Amino acid sequence: MDKILEGLVSSSHPLPVKRVIVRRVVESAETPLSQAQCRAMFALSTRLILKGPDPFQRQVGRQVLEAYARFHRDEFEAFFNRGLVLGLLQRGYGGVGSRDPAILDYVQAGLRLIISCPSVLELFALLQVEALRMVCERPAPPLCARLCQLLGDFPQCLPRGRKLSLAFCQQLVRSMAHFQSQGSREPELRLYVSQVTQVSGLLRSIWKAEPDTLLPSLQELFAVISSTDTSFEPSVALASLVQHIPLQMITVLIRSLTTDPNVKDASMTQALCRMIDWLSWPLAQHVETWVIALLKGLAAVQKFTILIDVTLLKIELVFNRLWFPLVRPGALAVLSHMLLSFQHSPEAFHLLVPHVVNLVHSFKNNGLPSSTAFLVQLTELIHCMMYHYSGFPDLYEPILEAIKELPKPSEEKIKLILSQSAWTSQSSSLPSCLSRLSGKSETGKTGLVNLGNTCYMNSVIQALFMATDFRRHVLSLNLNGCNSLMRKLQHLFAFLAHTQREAYAPRIFFEASRPPWFTPRSQQDCSEYLRFLLDRLHEEERTLKALSSAKPSETMMSDESLAQGTANKAQVFTEAPCTGGEERTLIERMFGGKLQTSICCLNCKSTSQKEEPFTDLSLAFCPPASFENVDMQSITHSSEVKDDCMVQTSIVASSPVEESALDTSLAVSDGCETVMNEGILKDLLPAELSSENITDSDLYKVQDSKNVSPKPVSENTPSVTDLLNYFLAPEILNGDNKYYCEKCASLQNAEKIMQIMEEPEYLILTLLRFSYDPKCHIRRKILDNVCLPLILELPVKRTASSLGVVSRGWSVDVEFSDTGENLAKKLKPSGAEEVCCPELVPYVLSSVVVHSGISSESGHYYSYARNITGSGPSLGLCHQSKTMALASHSSLLAGEISHAVIENDLDANEMSKEWFLFNDSRVTFTSFQSVQKITSRFPKDTAYVLLYKKQNCSSGFNANSANGLWVNGDPPLQKELMDAITKDNKLYLQEQELSARTQALQAASASCSFRPNGFDDNDPPGSCGPTGGGGGGGFSTIGRLVF
């Protein structure tokens, strides 16, 4: 029968004829045959299956083998024995090699036919060994897939025992690493993917049946992809394994990988790069989840060098995967994380910028709903990156044009996304003994390192930085090649805005801006420093302008070029209205105002007027005396107290080094020559101090009792408005302070009136809290609580001349000694002057500098601040130019009513405003309520310097300036400055990485110890510990200086 069948299949008879005869041969299998005849039929069918030249012969072989083996099972069991199977697997069959998948097809068919025979157990044991041998020989995808199919159908053939099973899984992983596709056409790729899926499916079954094999298999997987052998590149097919790893294992596995000291940086870099390559695998699931988890894990242990290298190496590849629908969701997730976390430099984003427009246009033309949804996500990502790295209009304008019709996320959402995505915000999965990454706080703001009693500078700089319009003007200046103080301030502001550090050390700026009479590393007055700084910046700008205008020009500038130059300047700054004369400096435009002092002789009624510029107003506290029954002695004493208060400004004049600076000082301090409304005074004055026999010791008795115990405060706490009204109230000059009238040629009683003629953009108010104690020879601190209104209305006298720029220069002829001598008691207005109706200009509180301590020689400064821009909400105050008659002091106080109404209306708005607490290196969120209640909670912590922002109906600064695309509101940084920030950010990440490695080594060899940072929720914001502010607490004042 075998000869007939062999001749038939090889004959030239028509195929239908052959099939009829074959059918009859198969039907004859039921007839009894001898053992030799059966063996001959089995051998023939085996030869046809394995060596048949065409599909027909191979099909005939399978049909005959199956039919004869079913009816002659014993004979087939004897034929299909261990020797035959072993020979086929190791040596092949004739010309068919042992690595031909057909061999495994035949073996699987044989196993299926003798599955119920006892001898099959022997074959299972043989195949367990042979399967392990075969995977160790790195079979090609077709053979490996066929083997896995066999093992899947007959799990009894899988290697048994933990050791063999584990070895099989590991070797199968390594075999997959060698897989390569046999072609690039779609049918070939589909076949390749199905083969890989077959192999990964077997591993999944093994991991599920034997969970102990999972972790060693993953370790083998990581060993493969982390190999630094350049001669071998693992196959992307390994990506198919990721979908079978339980997501619950992410935390454990990532922590194990990132904290393993045996894993070198080069190996981790290779592994991460190859995992990112896996995004190309079409059917893999959760690859992006593991890639992002590993990126976060590396950030948590501060291995920033790896993250930087991998991002720059692979970011373009990930972006290119967005073109392929099958892998687009995973690629976009990884791309978003890589870009949003890479915040120290625009380099990664700028690698993609040239390709964004083409991708956007492609998906717009596509029109599919999935493409539109993807485009919205991509647009949000792009807006976040352009917001963070503003200042590249040539790069961003084409992108903005392409995505202009797509929704744009709000600024609040962008800030939230950026703050949550930065490497420095990744939560650490290390043990608690390792310090958490000291990146920027959740506020996104940068602190300033205390360089040794430099909190007076830090608090002032943070207040100026949060003055948004001023900051934007400074950042927009073109100061390349200039080594001026303004250049250093610009450098400092740029780093505060863009550094990745938690706190920046302003060493260069400190050395350049420190007044020469300030002793290094000692406590100083922040108000004095602020005045000196603004004066330096102003004089420096004036000098540079004078030098540039003094240079001889060969030809006269034409009217056209002059107009062009003016237009260019307008692109940098929005100039204040100017009617001729010298161009105002930046400090003048931002902080400069005009104050007019009028003195009217009560004898001849002649009036002398003097107008002088100011950058801050020094507001005195009321003397502790009643107006109703004051005699000459108490008046004299009151004047002495004011003289003491004047030491704050006049003491500086005692230094010969500073006399020149004082000649041009912008601060107008009328000292304490203001007296509060008598009704308020009565309410504030403690009963024990209401007598006429008031002394200096009595004045501070309440403050010094129990060191700094809170004083009894009445319900009518004075407000900044009260102090401002007191400052501007008319004053009678008599007695020792009589006015010398030139017309009368003698000393005469006179009335002195101060009026604000021009209001500044930013109003700086200094509360005169330090007065000189001649007995103890120290500057004592007035600890009175002061109510800080959110809205302040500044009375400004409007005249025809004041509509223009009155200033012709910056020199201020303020005679501090004369001013001190003329300090006198203030009485009610005499009504001799004509009634003045000033305009009330609304201001909103921008920042508060707080002093913590009981004397100027010790303590600490910190500041509260928030972002307020000129283009921000006008709070309904624009075009509400209220006027009030100043016939009496009490009528001006009625302005409090409008303040209260406005503030009540703003309660809801205020809740949404962000306030920040800047305490040297530490920056935290806070609220306006905390600002208001600071002194009532911590008696030594008092508001000292206030910064108010004028509420304009239109922005004082053009956010779409022609010199750059201002995506986030701040102007673009010049390339030199941006390069410096990028370089420092990279250095910072390397420092953090080195520190983390050192700590990891220390933690591995020693027990963990945690040292508290010294702050406590029950301490004031400016405290060093349980004792609170800089003075007291059982320590000497000298030893407890500013920290």
Side-chain angles (χ1 to χ4, degrees):
M1 185 67 72
D2 59 306
K3 298 295 184 181
I4 297 174
L5 182 61
E6 185 176 9
L8 175 66
V9 297
S10 59
S11 69
S12 58
H13 292 294
L15 197 58
V17 175
K18 291 182 181 181
R19 285 177 175 159
V20 172
I21 298 176
V22 168
R23 187 181 306 116
R24 292 186 178 180
V25 172
V26 170
E27 292 174 352
S28 66
E30 300 179 9
T31 60
L33 294 175
S34 65
Q35 186 176 2
Q37 289 177 322
C38 288
R39 188 174 185 84
M41 291 299 294
F42 293 147
L44 175 61
S45 61
T46 299
R47 187 167 62 252
L48 291 176
I49 292 173
L50 296 178
K51 299 183 64 177
D54 55 63
F56 173 73
Q57 291 192 25
R58 292 193 292 274
Q59 181 183 7
V60 169
R62 284 190 293 271
Q63 291 176 350
V64 172
L65 180 67
E66 183 177 349
Y68 280 81
R70 183 183 304 115
F71 291 103
H72 306 279
R73 192 172 300 277
D74 293 339
E75 287 77 6
F76 182 71
E77 181 180 6
F79 174 80
F80 194 74
N81 56 23
R82 186 178 187 278
L84 174 66
V85 174
L86 185 61
L88 290 174
L89 294 177
Q90 292 187 353
R91 296 183 298 276
Y93 184 86
V96 180
S98 61
R99 301 176 70 88
D100 194 317
I103 297 292
L104 292 179
D105 283 338
Y106 177 79
V107 171
Q108 183 173 359
L111 289 175
R112 189 179 297 111
L113 293 173
I114 64 167
I115 188 65
S116 59
C117 299
S119 61
V120 74
L121 298 178
E122 183 181 10
L123 295 180
F124 285 160
L126 171 66
L127 287 172
Q128 290 175 9
V129 177
E130 287 301 302
L132 180 58
R133 177 190 64 80
M134 291 178 68
V135 296
C136 290
E137 293 176 353
R138 308 291 176 255
L143 178 61
C144 192
R146 195 65 194 82
L147 174 63
C148 290
Q149 182 180 354
L150 185 153
L151 297 177
D153 291 343
F154 296 97
Q156 303 92 329
C157 299
L158 286 169
R160 297 295 175 183
R162 186 179 186 279
K163 185 175 182 181
L164 290 178
S165 179
L166 190 57
F168 177 79
C169 290
Q170 291 176 327
Q171 292 302 321
L172 192 55
V173 169
R174 287 203 168 266
S175 295
M176 292 184 68
H178 288 78
F179 283 1
Q180 298 295 332
S181 175
Q182 302 301 314
S184 58
R185 293 181 298 177
E186 184 176 349
E188 296 168 333
L189 293 176
R190 289 183 178 274
L191 177 61
Y192 175 63
V193 170
S194 66
Q195 292 167 350
V196 173
T197 303
Q198 184 76 47
V199 177
S200 64
L202 177 65
L203 275 172
R204 178 193 58 186
S205 302
I206 298 175
W207 292 342
K208 188 175 182 179
E210 302 180 55
D212 291 346
T213 61
L214 175 58
L215 188 58
S217 299
L218 297 181
Q219 291 173 340
E220 190 70 22
L221 173 62
F222 182 78
V224 170
I225 64 175
S226 62
S227 171
T228 56
D229 182 7
T230 56
S231 62
F232 170 68
E233 183 61 31
S235 172
V236 182
L238 290 172
S240 62
L241 297 178
V242 175
Q243 60 189 322
H244 304 313
I245 306 173
L247 293 178
Q248 297 85 346
M249 297 184 65
I250 284 184
T251 303
V252 176
L253 291 177
I254 296 300
R255 180 170 56 190
S256 174
L257 288 176
T258 55
T259 59
D260 188 349
N262 297 319
V263 179
K264 306 301 181 185
D265 284 0
S267 299
M268 182 62 76
T269 301
Q270 284 283 17
L272 185 54
C273 286
R274 286 162 177 161
M275 287 180 67
I276 292 174
D277 291 339
W278 291 353
L279 292 171
S280 305
W281 190 254
L283 300 181
Q285 299 176 358
H286 309 310
V287 172
E288 70 278 6
T289 304
W290 284 92
V291 170
I292 293 173
L294 184 54
L295 291 170
K296 289 183 176 180
L298 291 171
V301 295
Q302 305 167 8
K303 294 186 177 180
F304 301 119
T305 301
I306 298 176
L307 293 171
I308 292 173
D309 293 343
V310 170
T311 300
L312 295 178
L313 189 63
K314 291 295 182 180
I315 192 74
E316 291 179 281
L317 181 143
V318 176
F319 182 84
N320 289 333
R321 294 296 173 266
L322 299 179
W323 291 92
F324 304 102
L326 281 177
V327 299
R328 184 179 301 145
L332 181 59
V334 174
L335 179 70
S336 298
H337 180 82
M338 293 176 76
L339 282 179
L340 292 172
S341 60
F342 197 90
Q343 294 187 14
H344 69 283
S345 164
E347 186 176 0
F349 177 55
H350 287 179
L351 288 174
L352 308 181
V353 165
H355 314 295
V356 171
V357 174
N358 290 337
L359 185 68
V360 170
H361 286 322
S362 173
F363 283 98
K364 277 186 175 181
N365 298 331
N366 188 314
L368 296 176
S370 58
S371 300
T372 304
F374 156 76
L375 210 49
V376 171
Q377 299 178 52
L378 180 64
T379 300
E380 181 177 281
L381 173 63
I382 292 171
H383 276 298
C384 288
M385 300 315 299
M386 291 192 297
Y387 177 93
H388 189 63
Y389 295 115
S390 61
F392 300 91
D394 54 326
L395 297 178
Y396 297 164
E397 283 177 351
I399 298 177
L400 284 175
E401 181 65 25
I403 63 176
K404 64 181 179 182
E405 299 173 356
L406 295 166
K408 178 182 178 181
S410 64
E411 185 173 353
E412 290 73 16
K413 184 176 182 180
I414 291 176
K415 288 181 178 179
L416 180 63
I417 293 173
L418 290 172
S419 65
Q420 292 176 344
S421 305
W423 288 333
T424 51
S425 67
Q426 307 298 333
S427 60
S428 176
S429 58
L430 294 176
S432 59
C433 58
L434 296 183
S435 66
R436 184 174 175 180
L437 173 62
S438 59
K440 274 192 175 181
S441 69
E442 60 181 355
T443 64
K445 302 297 181 183
T446 304
L448 287 171
V449 176
N450 193 314
L451 305 175
N453 294 342
T454 59
C455 61
Y456 67 89
M457 176 190 71
N458 292 348
S459 58
V460 165
I461 293 301
Q462 293 286 18
L464 293 177
F465 177 80
M466 294 297 286
T468 308
D469 288 351
F470 176 64
R471 178 183 74 245
R472 291 175 178 175
H473 279 87
V474 171
L475 292 176
S476 68
L477 293 173
N478 184 6
L479 300 172
N480 284 336
C482 178
N483 193 30
S484 62
L485 182 60
M486 182 63 81
R487 170 66 173 172
K488 293 178 175 63
L489 181 63
Q490 183 187 61
H491 185 276
L492 176 55
F493 278 4
F495 269 80
L496 285 176
H498 297 284
T499 185
Q500 290 290 301
R501 296 181 183 273
E502 178 187 28
Y504 179 73
R507 292 184 177 86
I508 296 177
F509 184 80
F510 172 68
E511 291 301 328
S513 65
R514 179 176 59 85
W517 60 90
F518 274 21
T519 305
R521 307 188 70 84
S522 65
Q523 167 71 299
Q524 303 295 343
D525 189 334
C526 76
S527 176
E528 186 179 355
Y529 172 78
L530 176 58
R531 293 193 191 106
F532 176 80
L533 174 62
L534 296 181
D535 180 68
R536 275 279 309 276
L537 292 172
H538 163 74
E539 288 297 334
E540 185 180 78
E541 184 177 349
R542 283 189 63 196
T543 303
L544 291 176
K545 287 181 178 179
L547 290 176
S548 61
S549 62
K551 292 180 180 179
S553 56
E554 295 181 0
T555 58
M556 295 297 291
M557 183 181 292
S558 65
D559 293 340
E560 181 180 353
S561 63
L562 182 60
Q564 181 64 34
T566 305
N568 292 337
K569 289 181 181 178
Q571 291 175 359
V572 181
F573 297 127
T574 302
E575 297 291 338
C578 184
T579 57
E582 186 176 332
E583 183 183 355
R584 305 178 75 195
T585 65
L586 174 59
I587 302 302
E588 285 180 296
R589 292 195 303 274
M590 290 288 100
F591 304 100
K594 294 290 183 182
L595 188 68
Q596 182 186 78
T597 303
S598 301
I599 301 180
C600 176
C601 175
L602 297 181
N603 182 42
C604 66
K605 304 302 181 183
S606 63
T607 302
S608 64
Q609 292 183 340
K610 180 180 180 181
E611 192 173 277
E612 49 202 12
F614 68 89
T615 53
D616 79 303
L617 299 178
S618 298
L619 306 183
F621 287 81
C622 305
S626 169
F627 287 104
E628 297 290 338
N629 49 1
V630 289
D631 56 15
M632 208 60 186
Q633 180 180 358
S634 61
I635 292 175
T636 304
H637 168 73
S638 175
S639 180
E640 291 173 356
V641 173
K642 294 168 193 161
D643 287 339
D644 292 342
C645 296
M646 275 305 298
V647 173
Q648 182 179 7
T649 52
S650 63
I651 193 173
V652 185
S654 64
S655 172
V657 180
E658 195 199 355
E659 287 180 358
S660 59
L662 277 176
D663 289 339
T664 58
S665 173
L666 304 181
V668 175
S669 172
D670 197 38
C672 297
E673 52 177 348
T674 51
V675 175
M676 273 187 126
N677 176 276
E678 57 185 31
I680 296 179
L681 246 179
K682 290 177 182 177
D683 292 334
L684 287 176
L685 193 61
E688 60 270 22
L689 295 182
S690 62
S691 66
E692 299 178 2
N693 301 322
I694 300 175
T695 63
D696 283 339
S697 59
D698 293 331
L699 175 62
Y700 294 99
K701 188 175 295 182
V702 178
Q703 298 171 8
D704 291 342
S705 62
K706 295 184 180 179
N707 194 19
V708 285
S709 59
K711 308 183 309 298
V713 179
S714 70
E715 295 180 358
N716 295 324
T717 301
S719 69
V720 173
T721 304
D722 296 328
L723 302 187
L724 184 60
N725 292 338
Y726 179 51
F727 176 83
L728 296 174
E731 173 188 358
I732 298 299
L733 305 179
N734 58 9
D736 292 341
N737 289 320
K738 283 185 177 181
Y739 166 68
Y740 181 82
C741 177
E742 295 182 357
K743 187 174 181 180
C744 299
S746 63
L747 292 173
Q748 297 290 337
N749 293 337
E751 183 179 48
K752 179 180 177 181
I753 298 177
M754 301 181 71
Q755 294 175 310
I756 296 174
M757 307 302 291
E758 281 187 25
E759 74 279 9
E761 191 69 24
Y762 285 95
L763 175 64
I764 301 175
L765 301 177
T766 301
L767 307 186
L768 295 176
R769 290 192 173 275
F770 301 112
S771 69
Y772 183 71
D773 185 348
K775 295 182 180 180
C776 302
H777 301 289
I778 62 172
R779 294 174 68 193
R780 289 186 178 274
K781 180 179 178 181
I782 301 174
L783 296 174
D784 292 20
N785 192 8
V786 176
C787 179
L788 307 178
L790 181 64
I791 305 297
L792 180 71
E793 290 180 331
L794 185 69
V796 179
K797 180 181 178 182
R798 297 299 190 192
T799 62
S801 61
S802 67
L803 296 178
V805 175
V806 182
S807 172
R808 295 297 179 268
W810 194 247
S811 177
V812 181
D813 187 18
V814 179
E815 300 177 1
F816 286 93
S817 59
D818 293 341
T819 305
E821 293 174 0
N822 288 328
L823 289 175
K825 53 196 175 297
K826 291 203 170 184
L827 303 177
K828 294 183 179 180
S830 64
E833 289 294 321
E834 59 179 343
V835 176
C836 175
C837 296
E839 176 186 348
L840 295 181
V841 179
Y843 281 81
V844 176
L845 185 62
S846 172
S847 57
V848 179
V849 178
V850 176
H851 177 264
S852 176
I854 60 171
S855 73
S856 62
E857 284 78 22
S858 64
H860 178 58
Y861 289 104
Y862 56 92
S863 56
Y864 292 95
R866 64 169 175 164
N867 281 311
I868 298 180
T869 62
S871 56
S874 62
L875 305 174
L877 297 177
C878 288
H879 307 295
Q880 294 182 9
S881 299
K882 306 184 185 79
T883 59
M884 294 186 117
L886 291 182
S888 68
H889 179 66
S890 58
S891 63
L892 183 56
L893 290 175
E896 288 293 321
I897 299 175
S898 61
H899 294 181
V901 173
I902 294 170
E903 291 189 23
N904 289 335
D905 293 340
L906 290 175
D907 281 345
N909 282 342
E910 179 56 31
M911 292 303 101
S912 64
K913 299 291 184 182
E914 285 184 350
W915 280 85
F916 304 94
L917 171 59
F918 296 92
N919 196 339
D920 284 339
S921 300
R922 186 180 183 185
V923 185
T924 55
F925 284 119
T926 186
S927 65
F928 183 58
Q929 286 73 18
S930 298
V931 181
Q932 289 178 311
K933 297 177 181 178
I934 185 65
T935 304
S936 60
R937 293 181 59 200
F938 308 106
K940 292 180 293 184
D941 294 46
T942 55
Y944 184 36
V945 177
L946 313 176
L947 204 65
Y948 278 88
K949 172 69 175 71
K950 186 173 72 170
Q951 286 301 292
N952 298 324
C953 297
S954 61
S955 173
F957 205 93
N958 184 7
N960 294 316
S961 175
N963 24 318
L965 194 65
W966 295 19
V967 179
N968 67 346
D970 277 357
L973 297 183
Q974 296 163 22
K975 184 178 184 302
E976 178 185 352
L977 201 51
M978 180 59 77
D979 291 344
I981 294 172
T982 300
K983 181 179 179 181
D984 183 73
N985 282 341
K986 190 170 183 178
L987 176 63
Y988 162 71
L989 294 175
Q990 293 171 348
E991 292 170 358
Q992 293 296 312
E993 181 175 354
L994 179 61
S995 175
R997 293 175 186 273
T998 303
Q999 292 180 9
L1001 293 175
Q1002 293 173 349
S1005 59
S1007 60
C1008 301
S1009 63
F1010 186 81
R1011 180 172 178 267
N1013 62 6
F1015 282 89
D1016 186 88
D1017 290 339
N1018 295 322
D1019 293 331
S1023 69
C1024 273
T1027 57
F1035 294 86
S1036 66
T1037 302
I1038 297 176
R1040 294 281 292 172
L1041 294 183
V1042 70
F1043 45 87

